[in-house]
Amino acid sequence: MPALVNYSGDDDFYSGGPFCSGDSGIMLSIGSRVDIYCPPRKRARISGPLVVGGSVFEDKRPSIDMLPDECLFEIFRHLPGGRERSASACVSKRWLTVLSGVRSAEFYRSKAPRGQSDDMNVDPASNNIESISADEDLEVECDGYLTRCVEGKKATDLRLAAIAVCTSSRGGIGKLSIRGSNSIRGVTDLGLSAIARGCPSLRYLSLWNIPSIGDEGLFEIARECHSLEKLDLCQCPSISNKSMVAIAKSCPNLTALTIESCPSISNESLQAVGKYCTKLQSITIKDCPFVGDQGVASLLSSASSLTKVKLQALNITDYSLAVIGHYGKSITSLFLSGLQNVSQKGFWVMGNARGLQTLASLALTSCRGVTDLSLEALGKGHPNLKQMCLRKCCFVSDNGLVAFAKAVGSLESLQLEECNRITQTGILNAISNCKSKLKSLTLVKCMGIKDVSPETLMLSPCESLRSLSIRSCPGFGSTSLAMLGKLCPHLHHLDLSGLCGITDTGLLPLLESCESGLAKVNLSDCVNLSDEVVFSLARLHGATLELLNLDGCQKITDASLGVLANTCPLLNDLDLSKCSITDSGVAALSRGVQPNLQILSLSGCSMISNKSISALKKLGRTLVGLNLQHCISIGSHTIELLTENLWRCDILS
């Protein structure tokens, strides 16, 4: 190879110019007699002067970046497929921004050869745009369309633009959820507009806690996404009636709408939705201070297809409930919460209007107007009601509960939470009056229940009741349980979690009364129960027991595990967290016949040590979940060995 040295003659090299015609290399002089040749390098995409040794070499080559956005727009519009668009979007933010401004319908569609479509040229896995957009975002096929969810720091305009470009060749995403926003570069109308232009087939849009998105972004959704079926807006203070009216007019297929904590949305929006969205089936409105009777009444009287209504913390009065009771002929599920301006008259009228003939589920929370009188009217006016939930209804007493139980003839599930005027007598009488259909009864934090011997009551057993849950009712004791045992002979599920007052002796009559065999039993935090209860449970229901939760029962010892190991062949979920279990108990459990045990929790069992590794390995043949959190006597090396051997099992440590 000849040295690049300046010999005399015809072969002289000349400094400061190309090596040969058409060559883009450069000769750089570093001395009086020596030049160095720089071979051609990658062409610069952006034209600009090159300064070397004080000399300026002006690069006269043209660059595509010198073109205005309008020209780039036209060029990008002719890109043949998704792969090319994705690759172009990776070049720069400017190119991505221009590409995201091209509507899906504006791309030039060339005639592909017969049998080949444009999408055949696109390999979704090879789209380089994923490096910009959402390589960690969820993207799955859901009901036949793509789904994306961006949260927190990932929620930026750039990411949304990349998602729109990346998925446009595949029809765009069908479901988009944006949870929160980047505090520095948050989502704005620009990002949402990019989604609208690139994803005209969008069906589900959820915006949560995004104060920087306003009407312009939602206007673009209304203009482009006419297939929108579900819209969820939560804590979006900049979205107002203007864009909501546009959505109502342009999205006739809307079936579900949720508006929560949006102070700029008022009655005008609901009136438009009721007028134009004739397919609306579900509406949820929560904590919108400017939504009142006018909007709610207009919506409910116009939307004849509504089946699910949820109204919470609104400034509505008795008038709205009267409209619900009269026009809600197709409503099957109704949730009313925090309606402080609705009186007893409103609920009474809703029941007596007799329009809610198809209502199957009713939930009332923190409503002052729910009293004994109105509750009885609701029972009489809803003959097909199957599920009833009362939370924090402080004016409902035993009389109202019993009257409701007598009036409603098809009730299958009754849930009472923090209804402190209801006593033991009211509960027992309600169960007896629902003897033909009631399948599930749940009581939570009902402080009015006291464990006293009731007056002589002629009560009929509830043969249909299968599930009984009494949680955190401190007044519920042995006497109450004995009475329930006589009324509920066919229980399958029993949940008594948090009942600190019950004892072994008090629980035994209930266990003996369950003739059909218990399958699921939750006794967590029943601190006064001991091994005797487990012995009775195994003896009476061992053949049917599938789930047993003894979390926090500190009097449960190794003796219980030996009994469970030999008498409960169907047991698949066992929780012994914070029990007085040792290595001997784990060994006894592993020696039993447990072919179905899949979930085992030993969290907080501080007396279990590394000696249990062999027993845990044996149990692990069937386990899919093992909880060893806060087992301070088990070392990290033991956890590593278990993880290696129990590769099918998820281990929490």
Side-chain angles (χ1 to χ4, degrees):
M1 178 177 180
L4 297 179
V5 181
N6 189 13
Y7 294 104
S8 60
D10 295 336
D11 295 328
D12 282 356
F13 290 88
Y14 300 95
S15 63
F19 179 70
C20 60
S21 177
D23 190 6
S24 60
I26 299 175
M27 288 297 300
L28 304 178
S29 177
I30 61 174
S32 59
R33 299 292 295 169
V34 179
D35 292 340
I36 292 180
Y37 172 67
C38 295
R41 297 184 179 275
K42 185 177 179 181
R43 185 176 65 186
R45 182 169 51 79
I46 301 177
S47 299
L50 175 64
V51 180
V52 179
S55 301
V56 179
F57 299 90
E58 187 71 28
D59 189 354
K60 300 296 185 179
R61 292 181 295 257
S63 170
I64 191 173
D65 267 356
M66 297 178 65
L67 296 175
D69 289 349
E70 292 79 6
C71 293
L72 287 178
F73 182 96
E74 192 62 27
I75 293 172
F76 294 155
R77 197 171 72 85
H78 285 73
L79 290 175
R83 180 183 300 175
E84 291 78 10
R85 298 169 200 164
S86 298
S88 299
C90 289
V91 172
S92 68
K93 291 183 179 179
R94 182 193 175 202
W95 284 29
L96 173 59
T97 302
V98 175
L99 261 169
S100 66
V102 184
R103 289 178 169 82
S104 180
E106 291 176 333
F107 281 109
Y108 175 75
R109 306 291 180 183
S110 60
K111 292 184 179 180
R114 181 176 298 178
Q116 178 179 345
S117 65
D118 178 63
D119 285 341
M120 292 178 66
N121 296 322
V122 181
D123 180 7
S126 68
N127 281 343
N128 294 329
I129 195 68
E130 288 299 311
S131 63
I132 298 177
S133 63
D135 38 0
E136 296 181 1
D137 295 338
L138 177 65
E139 180 178 357
V140 295
E141 294 291 339
C142 179
D143 295 331
Y145 49 83
L146 295 172
T147 297
R148 278 290 173 97
C149 180
V150 289
E151 301 182 6
K153 295 181 179 180
K154 294 181 181 181
T156 63
D157 285 343
L158 180 63
R159 184 170 294 271
L160 292 184
I163 291 174
V165 173
C166 173
T167 61
S168 62
S169 63
R170 290 173 276 170
I173 55 175
K175 180 177 180 179
L176 175 64
S177 297
I178 306 175
R179 298 283 187 256
S181 185
N182 190 298
S183 58
I184 300 175
R185 298 175 289 112
V187 174
T188 68
D189 292 330
L190 295 176
L192 194 59
S193 297
I195 289 292
R197 289 188 289 266
C199 308
S201 59
L202 186 68
R203 298 184 186 181
Y204 176 93
L205 176 62
S206 178
L207 305 176
W208 183 82
N209 190 20
I210 313 177
S212 51
I213 283 186
D215 288 331
E216 289 301 321
L218 216 56
F219 272 133
E220 199 67 23
I221 293 291
R223 279 192 289 265
E224 302 294 336
C225 304
H226 302 299
S227 299
L228 191 67
E229 296 176 0
K230 297 181 180 180
L231 178 61
D232 184 355
L233 304 176
C234 179
Q235 298 182 35
C236 298
S238 300
I239 293 178
S240 71
N241 292 326
K242 295 179 180 179
S243 56
M244 279 304 305
V245 171
I247 287 286
K249 291 181 178 179
S250 303
C251 303
N253 294 320
L254 196 67
T255 60
L257 175 63
T258 297
I259 304 173
E260 180 178 342
S261 301
C262 296
S264 298
I265 293 178
S266 63
N267 294 327
E268 184 182 351
S269 296
L270 299 190
Q271 290 171 335
V273 170
K275 181 178 180 180
Y276 297 105
C277 301
T278 57
K279 298 181 181 179
L280 190 67
Q281 298 176 4
S282 173
I283 182 70
T284 298
I285 311 171
K286 177 182 177 181
D287 193 23
C288 294
F290 296 106
V291 170
D293 288 329
Q294 187 178 1
V296 172
S298 177
L299 172 65
L300 293 172
S301 60
S302 303
S304 58
S305 300
L306 270 178
T307 59
K308 184 177 181 180
V309 176
K310 183 176 181 180
L311 306 177
Q312 187 170 357
L314 300 179
N315 295 321
I316 60 176
T317 66
D318 298 342
Y319 178 72
S320 291
L321 265 66
V323 172
I324 293 175
H326 184 75
Y327 289 100
K329 293 180 173 57
S330 60
I331 296 177
T332 59
S333 176
L334 179 60
F335 178 92
L336 304 175
S337 175
L339 305 182
Q340 301 302 317
N341 295 326
V342 178
S343 68
Q344 172 182 272
K345 180 180 179 181
F347 287 99
W348 184 87
V349 171
M350 187 176 76
N352 282 285
R354 305 295 174 99
L356 295 168
Q357 296 297 304
T358 61
L359 187 66
S361 176
L362 176 61
L364 305 174
T365 301
S366 300
C367 294
R368 296 180 181 179
V370 180
T371 64
D372 292 344
L373 180 63
S374 58
L375 187 60
E376 182 180 7
L378 291 173
K380 292 179 178 179
H382 307 144
N384 296 308
L385 190 65
K386 298 183 182 302
Q387 299 177 359
M388 181 62 172
C389 177
L390 294 175
R391 295 187 182 95
K392 299 181 180 180
C393 294
C394 55
F395 295 113
V396 174
S397 68
D398 291 343
N399 293 332
L401 180 62
V402 174
F404 173 80
K406 290 179 178 179
V408 63
S410 56
L411 192 67
E412 297 180 358
S413 174
L414 176 61
Q415 181 174 346
L416 304 174
E417 294 187 23
E418 298 185 49
C419 297
N420 297 326
R421 289 195 179 187
I422 293 176
T423 68
Q424 179 195 72
T425 301
I427 297 295
L428 297 176
N429 276 282
I431 294 175
S432 181
N433 281 284
C434 294
K435 57 186 178 182
S436 59
K437 295 288 183 68
L438 189 65
K439 297 179 180 179
S440 174
L441 174 64
T442 300
L443 306 175
V444 181
K445 297 181 181 179
C446 292
M447 303 302 176
I449 298 176
K450 306 297 180 183
D451 194 42
V452 294
S453 298
E455 301 176 0
T456 304
L457 300 174
M458 299 299 294
L459 302 177
S460 302
C462 184
E463 303 284 348
S464 60
L465 195 66
R466 296 292 182 269
S467 175
L468 176 63
S469 178
I470 305 172
R471 304 195 300 269
S472 302
C473 297
F476 220 97
S478 302
T479 303
S480 304
L481 289 178
M483 292 295 296
L484 281 177
K486 297 177 181 179
L487 290 178
C488 314
H490 299 298
L491 288 178
H492 289 165
H493 302 164
L494 179 64
D495 183 353
L496 303 177
S497 55
L499 300 189
C500 303
I502 62 174
T503 62
D504 298 342
T505 305
L507 184 57
L508 183 59
L510 176 60
L511 297 180
E512 292 177 340
S513 299
C514 298
E515 303 172 359
S516 301
L518 291 170
K520 297 181 180 180
V521 178
N522 185 352
L523 301 174
S524 60
D525 295 320
C526 295
V527 294
N528 289 318
L529 298 182
S530 69
D531 291 327
E532 293 299 324
V533 164
V534 179
F535 297 161
S536 300
L537 193 60
R539 174 174 53 85
L540 296 169
H541 306 284
T544 58
L545 193 62
E546 300 175 6
L547 180 149
L548 178 60
N549 188 341
L550 299 170
D551 181 6
C553 299
Q554 299 178 3
K555 294 184 179 181
I556 301 297
T557 68
D558 294 339
S560 293
L561 269 67
V563 173
L564 292 174
N566 297 315
T567 57
C568 303
L570 300 181
L571 190 65
N572 61 57
D573 191 333
L574 178 61
D575 192 338
L576 300 167
S577 301
K578 299 187 286 293
C579 293
S580 300
I581 304 299
T582 68
D583 295 325
S584 299
V586 178
L589 185 63
S590 68
R591 288 192 294 268
V593 181
Q594 303 293 334
N596 297 300
L597 189 61
Q598 296 183 333
I599 306 294
L600 176 62
S601 179
L602 302 172
S603 175
C605 296
S606 57
M607 291 185 287
I608 298 177
S609 69
N610 297 328
K611 296 179 181 179
S612 293
I613 185 171
S614 298
L616 291 173
K617 285 182 179 179
K618 186 176 180 181
L619 289 169
R621 296 171 184 172
T622 59
L623 290 179
V624 296
L626 175 62
N627 188 352
L628 298 176
Q629 291 179 313
H630 311 297
C631 293
I632 57 177
S633 299
I634 298 180
S636 57
H637 180 63
T638 300
I639 298 296
E640 292 176 1
L641 290 176
L642 288 174
T643 303
E644 292 176 2
N645 286 272
L646 307 181
W647 56 272
R648 294 176 52 194
C649 179
D650 291 330
I651 300 178
L652 296 177
S653 61

